[in-house]
Amino acid sequence: MALPACAVRTLGPPLQPERGAPARTTCPRRHSRVEAELAVSRPGSVAASVCAGPPRGVSHGFHSQPLLDEPLKASSSLAGAARAPLFALLSRGRRRRMHDLRRRWDLGSLCRALLTRGLAALGHSLKHVLSAIFSKIFGPLASVGNMDEKSNKLLLALVMLFLFAVIVLQYVCPGTECQLLRLQAFSSPVPDPYRSEDESSARFVPRYNFTRGDLLRKVDFDIKGDDLIVFLHIQKTGGTTFGRHLVRNIQLEQPCECRVGQKKCTCHRPGKRETWLFSRFSTGWSCGLHADWTELTSCVPAVVDGKRDARLRPSRNFHYITILRDPVSRYLSEWRHVQRGATWKASLHVCDGRPPTSEELPSCYTGDDWSGCPLKEFMDCPYNLANNRQVRMLSDLTLVGCYNLSVMPEKQRNKVLLESAKSNLKHMAFFGLTEFQRKTQYLFEKTFNMNFISPFTQYNTTRASSVEINEEIQKRIEGLNFLDMELYSYAKDLFLQRYQFMRQKEHQEARRKRQEQRKFLKGRFLQTHFQSQGQGQGQNPSQNPSQNPNLNANQNLTQNLTQNLTQSSSQRENQESQKQNPGQEQSDGSTTNGTNDYLGSVEKWR
């Protein structure tokens, strides 16, 4: 194969093998061809610059001028030709590596050139598209085919402003729950913030019959007087979070003073140096660690008014509140807490004036704590206070002989404890459920007429939810806590019925206010209309009303307008009530009728 003349001139004399290098075993013609190709492909040689031409796939029109017309590139080509003999003196492996590097450099240059050209074409197309959109919106300012420099600058400014706004919006409001992104509020009503929180059906079937007094819980709490809120904190029910809400998240005339690094806060009444809250974060464990119903009812009055004379003690109202939780989740959470070293040894368990003996309440472990215990060992202990803890802490233990199990049979004891816990829970001023945080907040605000600053947060992922148990273990935990399971079912039914009753009562109150407002506006309208008619008759006293058809027509028009306004308002109220309470009977807006309607609806749901 004949080589080009430019390649022959560039190669010069044939390459001699290096001293000490092995002799070639291939054809010398093949080596000369390879060397010629290497010389031609060298970017710094004259042969590459003169004979090679543009890269494959790229036309001469891509560059503004030919390669030889640029003096800078020509000088670099001459320098490359001068360095050609030095390149020939290198070893074969090093020449091949240098050749690969130069070839890669050429390929990278080609890719960069193609990318630049493609981006330029894309920008040109985008410019035409944006110019067309810009001309449609701002027709007089720009045209589709021809855009002057001012239009280009204005278009670029608009695009940059839009991108900056998007970046700022994502920085300020990264989540989907941002108030700025709720555009559906303009087209659809705001969703109920107190909808079902456990992903269950919003409408439930009640199992228990409750009276109006059981459902309507509204406490006339006088924070400036002598009333006191007592928080019964059951272990692992979310009581710590709720206790912090009580001292840090309530709108008060005189908020609680909480110092950094201290758990307890000072919650004084307005104008008094006396607390209105008896809880862990206000008074500490004054009646013992996690005191139960039996301890609190006998201890709190003595702690609050112990220093005063019995004749000078005020007649206080003690409003007891608590939080309950699903028994299985609470049991697993307590087991995990015990695994980490919790013991609650400071609990007094005082009942009937004395703590239990070691025979009445044995310990499940030996040593300082029960850390690292497996779940099976935790369940196997018959004296574990985690079993049916919520029933035990809410019942009156004096009815069953405190912790003495020999007073009555076990079956009778369990029945008495369960009925006592249900009765105390029903007559409490308030109780909430861990699984319904927003509803808990709503009922507390309606019960005590005290509002929280920020809404409660529903945490669906807890330490208990991370524990994976099979169906057999779950059944056993439910069996160990069968009293708590029954109490929680009762409490959940009462809680949800109270919530629905309070919501219905709130809707009826809003309806009544709207009706009164419409009646007031209607009266003002009729009064203004009759005054205008009286002024017209005063100006024409000699004219007979029967001879004035316009006056009679105005009176008939007024009567028709009044009837239509009354009918439309009543129809609108009925439609709104049906939307708010589907399937329930409508009432006339009074509290008594609203209660009867709700209780009647409960019977229908059954």
Side-chain angles (χ1 to χ4, degrees), residues 538-596:
Q539 293 177 0
N540 300 319
S542 62
Q543 188 176 5
N544 189 4
S546 62
Q547 297 177 358
N548 189 1
N550 294 329
L551 181 60
N552 296 330
N554 290 334
Q555 292 178 356
N556 295 331
L557 180 61
T558 303
Q559 294 177 358
N560 295 333
L561 181 60
T562 304
Q563 294 177 359
N564 293 333
L565 181 62
T566 305
Q567 293 177 1
S568 62
S569 61
S570 61
Q571 291 177 1
R572 190 180 300 108
E573 293 295 340
N574 293 331
Q575 291 177 0
E576 291 179 357
S577 179
Q578 290 177 2
K579 290 181 180 179
Q580 295 169 356
N581 304 298
Q584 300 184 15
E585 298 178 359
Q586 303 302 319
S587 64
D588 59 352
S590 63
T591 305
T592 305
N593 292 336
T595 306
N596 296 332

Side-chain angles (χ1 to χ4, degrees), residues 515-532:
Q515 288 177 354
E516 291 179 354
Q517 186 177 8
R518 289 192 180 98
K519 289 180 181 179
F520 174 76
L521 294 177
K522 183 175 65 176
R524 290 288 301 273
F525 171 76
L526 295 177
Q527 182 181 3
T528 306
H529 183 72
F530 289 146
Q531 287 179 358
S532 62

